[in-house]
Amino acid sequence: MFAVEFQASIQNGFIEIPEEYKSQFQQGKNIKVILLKDEKGPIEI
């Protein structure tokens, strides 16, 4: 499995893969996506 990590903004429901990684992902192939939301503010325990 090939994995990359990058930060992106959601635009109209889409996340664009940065140019340097696009060649690693073929159009029409399935990928696994994990989204992590950057939470601002204090951490509650």
Side-chain angles (χ1 to χ4, degrees):
M1 181 180 285
F2 176 78
V4 297
E5 180 178 333
F6 59 88
Q7 293 185 346
S9 295
I10 300 170
Q11 300 294 325
N12 296 319
F14 291 91
I15 299 171
E16 185 171 350
I17 298 171
E19 286 296 326
E20 60 262 32
Y21 302 123
K22 285 184 180 181
S23 65
Q24 301 293 324
F25 300 97
Q26 296 176 347
Q27 188 166 337
K29 297 289 183 177
N30 290 330
I31 62 170
K32 181 185 283 190
V33 177
I34 300 172
L35 301 175
L36 302 172
K37 182 179 176 187
D38 186 14
E39 294 288 339
K40 305 284 187 198
I43 298 173
E44 295 182 29
I45 300 177

